[in-house]
Amino acid sequence: MLRFLRQLRQNKISQNQFRKYFLYALGEVLLVVIGILLALQIDAWNNGRILKQKELLYLKEIRVQLQEDLETIGYTIDFNQNKDSAITNSLGAMLHSNSNLQAMFEISKNMPVLAEYSVFTQNRVAFDNMLSAENIDLISSDTLRTLLSNYYAEENLLNGTQERIKELTRIFVDHMSPMLMTRENIKQLFQTDNAFVSGSEIDFRTNPVVFGDLFSMQRNIDAHNVYLEDYQQDIEIIITQIDQFLSSVH
């Protein structure tokens, strides 16, 4: 095409047909401009398509990890309910047992749960990857972008409660471990007679430190569950929004 136009241009110049040559020259320029514009348009379309694919990929990965968060929260709430029951049983034993031995055996029975805790940690790999690549603006939905930013910013609010759960559990175990090293428990563990003090001689029923530890753990578990249930609701809302968005682009 360019060779043809060049030859035509030379013919017009040689024939002194400057007006026609001008029109052909103008047409040649327009062809070049149109070609450039088309190339830019195609490049912009390709870039837009690539960015849209990245957006969808991020959202799909985030959705998977949000679903994992829901499962982790469900497990933690279940554990907290079991621990709450163990605490209630132990407090009841302290309040209503007829002897220190009876209270000791009830607390000992609950120790495998009382001595443990479960905390929730967000799976935020996909979201953090998006942030580190400075791609948060890829999320074209203002609603989704706000929901995601708020959800992942809430982690610090939960951390204080969870750190307190860990601390209270450690304190309780530190207080209880020496008290449970009684003649009866040692004999049960090692199948041998021993010279340790009998549990009947240790105050398991009215010990204010142990009662306070159990009571504090229970109150903190209640607060923990409130946070977790709020997180559940937030995640379910975000997953619904992601599903609606993904459906709208297919």
Side-chain angles (χ1 to χ4, degrees):
M1 175 63 74
L2 291 177
R3 183 177 178 182
F4 169 76
L5 289 173
R6 192 182 303 114
Q7 185 177 0
L8 190 61
R9 181 175 65 237
Q10 290 173 351
N11 291 336
K12 296 301 179 184
I13 292 173
S14 63
Q15 297 171 13
N16 291 326
Q17 296 180 9
F18 292 106
R19 183 172 178 277
K20 291 184 178 180
Y21 162 71
F22 175 77
L23 292 176
Y24 281 109
L26 181 61
E28 187 175 351
V29 171
L30 288 175
L31 279 175
V32 173
V33 171
I34 290 171
I36 292 173
L37 291 176
L38 284 174
L40 291 174
Q41 183 65 33
I42 292 172
D43 186 60
W45 180 84
N46 282 332
N47 287 337
R49 182 173 56 84
I50 291 170
L51 292 177
K52 177 58 70 173
Q53 288 175 344
K54 283 185 177 181
E55 176 190 19
L56 298 180
L57 180 61
Y58 277 129
L59 287 175
K60 288 176 182 177
E61 290 178 349
I62 289 172
R63 190 197 185 287
V64 169
Q65 292 174 7
L66 288 172
Q67 192 64 49
E68 292 173 356
D69 283 353
L70 274 181
E71 293 172 4
T72 303
I73 289 174
Y75 172 84
T76 301
I77 289 177
D78 287 344
F79 177 87
N80 282 348
Q81 290 172 344
N82 290 334
K83 187 169 182 176
D84 182 76
S85 296
I87 292 173
T88 298
N89 292 338
S90 299
L91 290 172
M94 293 183 71
L95 291 171
H96 306 299
S97 292
N98 296 321
S99 67
N100 283 322
L101 273 179
Q102 185 181 356
M104 181 198 74
F105 285 132
E106 183 63 29
I107 294 173
S108 298
K109 182 180 69 176
N110 291 311
M111 280 302 291
V113 177
L114 295 175
E116 298 294 334
Y117 55 80
S118 177
V119 295
F120 164 63
T121 302
Q122 291 174 334
N123 187 344
R124 48 182 301 140
V125 175
F127 184 78
D128 285 344
N129 285 342
M130 185 172 61
L131 287 183
S132 63
E134 298 183 352
N135 284 330
I136 184 66
D137 290 334
L138 282 178
I139 308 301
S140 55
S141 166
D142 293 339
T143 300
L144 256 181
R145 191 165 58 249
T146 300
L147 287 172
L148 288 170
S149 297
N150 290 342
Y151 170 71
Y152 288 107
E154 288 175 354
E155 185 179 28
N156 292 333
L157 298 176
L158 182 63
N159 281 344
T161 299
Q162 298 197 137
E163 288 302 315
R164 184 62 175 157
I165 282 178
K166 297 177 186 178
E167 179 186 14
L168 289 172
T169 302
R170 286 191 289 263
I171 290 172
F172 171 73
V173 171
D174 288 343
H175 288 158
M176 283 304 304
S177 294
M179 292 180 62
L180 292 174
M181 295 300 102
T182 64
R183 182 185 306 156
E184 293 79 12
N185 283 337
I186 294 296
K187 184 174 182 179
Q188 187 175 26
L189 287 171
F190 297 98
Q191 303 298 310
T192 182
D193 292 332
N194 59 83
F196 280 80
V197 175
S198 171
S200 62
E201 300 177 39
I202 299 175
D203 183 12
F204 283 99
R205 291 189 298 166
T206 61
N207 189 307
V209 174
V210 174
F211 196 92
D213 289 345
L214 290 168
F215 183 79
S216 296
M217 283 198 298
Q218 194 167 51
R219 297 284 76 77
N220 222 62
I221 285 173
D222 290 341
H224 191 207
N225 283 341
V226 170
Y227 272 116
L228 292 175
E229 288 164 1
D230 287 344
Y231 268 68
Q232 274 184 319
Q233 293 178 3
D234 290 344
I235 293 171
E236 288 166 356
I237 290 171
I238 296 172
I239 287 178
T240 298
Q241 289 290 327
I242 290 176
D243 288 343
Q244 290 176 353
F245 181 83
L246 293 177
S247 297
S248 70
V249 296
H250 288 304

